[in-house]
Amino acid sequence: MIKIKRVETKRELKQFIQFYYDLYRDNEYAVPFIYLDEIATLRRDKNPSFECCEAEYFLAYKDKKIVGRVAAIINRRANERWNRKAVRFGWFDFIDDTEVSAALLKAVEDWGRAKGMTEIAGPLGFIDTDREGMLIEGFDQLATMYINYNYPYYQRHMEQAFGFEKDNDYVECKVKIPEVVPDKFAKITEMVRKRYNLRVHKFTRHELIQEGYGQKVFDLLNATYKDLYGFSQLSQKQIDKLVNYYIKIADLNLVTAIMDGDQMVGFGITFPSFSRALQKTDDGRFLPFGWWHLLKSLKWHQTDTVDLLLIGVLPEYRSKGANALIFDDLIRQFQAYGFKWAETGPQMESNEGVLSQWQYLESTIHRRHRCYKKGIVNSD
């Protein structure tokens, strides 16, 4: 007998978050998420995404033990943008028992149906900067703090037991940092500078926070990501949170902007990998010593990998080679810091323009995440 319980108290929310750490404690490839980030994302009084979203969280119990969890989310802004009536499922984790996963998905469907939704899709978060997709390839690759990691049996449950179909695939690349910037890259960069008068700009913290360039970065993200799968425009409160989360702690040598005169037309935000550091924490917590491991990665770059977190270029500047300027600058910074590898974030498999930018570097697709969808049958 599987019992599904709606999360209603702070204690139950902590149990909801803790389940992931317990399920993957002995897995060498899973990376614990930062505990405070999980709290800040899931609590209605802390996450500005609740301006355009509503959500409920469910726990599955078997023999009085927690055996699964799921979040049910409706993003009204995304549904309006994409003309869908979709309830999203996210934070979806469970033991290898189809009764458990079926009961959790049914809870999401029932809640979505009661809200007038006609389809279920996921794994998805509240907004596009949350983790998306279910891992279906790359189980033997170290995860990052920005992506979902899950056991292989998840895919079997979705496709064999419940009849979900593919809605979208993301791929992630592992890129070798070259010892010398490739000639092709260097030539394109020089041509772009001369022909279009574009230039690289390295921000100061004052520019990003006091002069509003942090805001402009995410305004640009809204413009460049607007046609991506499931994206909903970031509100002012969401942008303020992202500026606080990323910009205030970023190593600005690893942040690059492309300027056309006084206009920012592209940006790249990268961070040293926190994956190994997080594996040394107590379930993603800063105390007692987790902060030290994270600090070593952030400030002293004691990792050989850098995460390519957010990259955006206005459409009219992509064909002009503005991306090459970003990577030409960042590669030089990566070399100076001694990074050997770069990890891309999730990229839509159909986005040939984005994927083609790795052709001049030694890279391989080493992970794939899938979003699923299924119609919700009206019970009447």
Side-chain angles (χ1 to χ4, degrees):
M1 176 71 71
I2 308 301
K3 178 183 177 182
I4 299 296
K5 188 178 189 309
R6 190 190 306 255
V7 171
E8 297 176 326
T9 67
K10 290 182 179 180
R11 179 176 178 273
E12 289 170 344
L13 181 61
K14 290 179 179 179
Q15 292 175 326
F16 181 92
I17 295 170
Q18 186 62 39
F19 179 74
Y20 183 86
Y21 301 128
D22 294 339
L23 187 63
Y24 288 91
R25 188 172 308 285
D26 298 323
N27 189 291
E28 63 180 303
Y29 304 110
V31 171
F33 307 123
I34 295 177
Y35 182 81
L36 290 176
D37 288 349
E38 294 294 277
I39 288 285
T41 300
L42 295 170
R43 277 182 50 169
R44 291 167 177 79
D45 59 335
K46 292 184 177 292
N47 188 351
S49 295
F50 279 94
E51 290 178 322
C52 65
C53 296
E54 55 184 314
E56 293 289 352
Y57 315 128
F58 301 95
L59 287 167
Y61 292 81
K62 185 175 183 178
D63 299 326
K64 298 183 179 181
K65 179 182 178 181
I66 296 174
V67 290
R69 68 171 189 174
V70 72
I73 302 165
I74 296 173
N75 183 321
R76 296 183 298 276
R77 189 181 296 150
N79 279 347
E80 290 170 7
R81 166 68 178 85
W82 299 100
N83 193 28
R84 298 176 76 171
K85 292 184 177 180
V87 56
R88 301 176 171 199
F89 64 92
W91 284 266
F92 185 38
D93 297 290
F94 46 89
I95 65 171
D96 190 5
D97 183 332
T98 54
E99 290 186 357
V100 173
S101 50
L104 287 166
L105 289 171
K106 183 178 184 300
V108 176
E109 287 192 37
D110 289 347
W111 182 76
R113 184 186 298 108
K115 297 286 184 177
M117 300 298 104
T118 58
E119 63 178 324
I120 177 173
L124 290 164
F126 294 90
I127 58 176
D128 200 58
T129 52
D130 294 330
R131 298 183 298 271
E132 299 179 323
M134 180 176 289
L135 185 67
I136 62 169
E137 295 176 10
F139 300 102
D140 60 350
Q141 300 294 309
L142 179 67
T144 77
M145 64 179 285
Y146 310 108
I147 63 171
N148 288 320
Y149 184 89
N150 53 261
Y151 291 118
Y153 64 77
Y154 283 39
Q155 182 183 9
R156 170 168 47 83
H157 285 223
M158 297 300 296
E159 297 180 7
Q160 296 181 16
F162 309 134
F164 276 79
E165 62 182 29
K166 171 183 171 180
D167 197 16
N168 180 63
D169 270 12
Y170 299 100
V171 295
E172 294 125 49
C173 297
K174 187 172 185 178
V175 184
K176 186 175 181 179
I177 305 299
E179 295 181 4
V180 178
V181 176
D183 288 342
K184 187 73 172 180
F185 244 79
K187 290 177 181 178
I188 292 174
T189 300
E190 188 61 26
M191 180 272 293
V192 169
R193 285 196 179 104
K194 290 180 177 179
R195 180 176 298 180
Y196 302 112
N197 201 31
L198 302 181
R199 61 183 175 86
V200 167
H201 180 72
K202 305 301 283 189
F203 288 118
T204 65
R205 198 83 59 188
H206 186 274
E207 286 177 316
L208 286 166
I209 298 172
Q210 273 72 42
E211 296 184 21
Y213 277 93
Q215 167 81 35
K216 292 178 181 179
V217 165
F218 290 102
D219 288 340
L220 187 58
L221 183 144
N222 268 339
T224 58
Y225 283 37
K226 64 183 178 64
D227 295 324
L228 295 182
Y229 168 85
F231 184 73
S232 63
Q233 293 284 297
L234 300 173
S235 70
Q236 186 58 54
K237 287 185 178 180
Q238 289 169 327
I239 289 174
D240 290 343
K241 178 185 176 183
L242 290 167
V243 169
N244 286 330
Y245 187 89
Y246 292 117
I247 301 302
K248 286 189 175 180
I249 66 170
D251 180 335
L252 297 185
N253 289 328
L254 302 178
V255 177
T256 297
I258 304 302
M259 309 293 291
D260 183 355
D262 294 330
Q263 181 190 7
M264 181 167 52
V265 300
F267 68 88
I269 300 175
T270 66
F271 272 73
S273 172
F274 294 128
S275 295
R276 292 299 183 193
L278 282 166
Q279 287 185 327
K280 297 175 183 177
T281 65
D282 179 14
D283 291 345
R285 292 167 171 83
F286 290 145
L287 298 176
F289 302 114
W291 64 272
W292 176 247
H293 299 297
L294 294 170
L295 188 64
K296 287 194 293 184
S297 291
L298 181 62
K299 296 297 184 183
W300 300 308
H301 316 115
Q302 293 190 9
T303 172
D304 66 356
T305 303
V306 62
D307 291 327
L308 308 181
L309 187 56
L310 293 171
I311 297 172
V313 175
L314 288 174
E316 60 268 33
Y317 286 88
R318 293 169 195 163
S319 60
K320 295 179 179 179
N323 294 61
L325 285 178
I326 293 174
F327 291 113
D328 179 77
D329 178 72
L330 288 176
I331 286 171
R332 297 177 195 278
Q333 301 296 333
F334 299 162
Q335 291 169 337
Y337 281 163
F339 295 132
K340 295 181 172 59
W341 301 96
E343 292 260 10
T344 74
Q347 305 157 104
M348 290 178 60
E349 65 172 356
S350 59
N351 195 337
E352 296 179 0
V354 169
L355 293 174
S356 67
Q357 67 190 344
W358 311 117
Q359 63 184 303
Y360 305 120
L361 299 169
E362 185 178 333
S363 66
T364 181
I365 293 174
H366 72 141
R367 279 193 298 265
R368 181 180 294 266
H369 284 80
R370 178 163 294 171
C371 286
Y372 292 93
K373 66 178 180 179
K374 189 174 77 168
I376 295 177
V377 178
N378 196 315
S379 59
D380 295 337

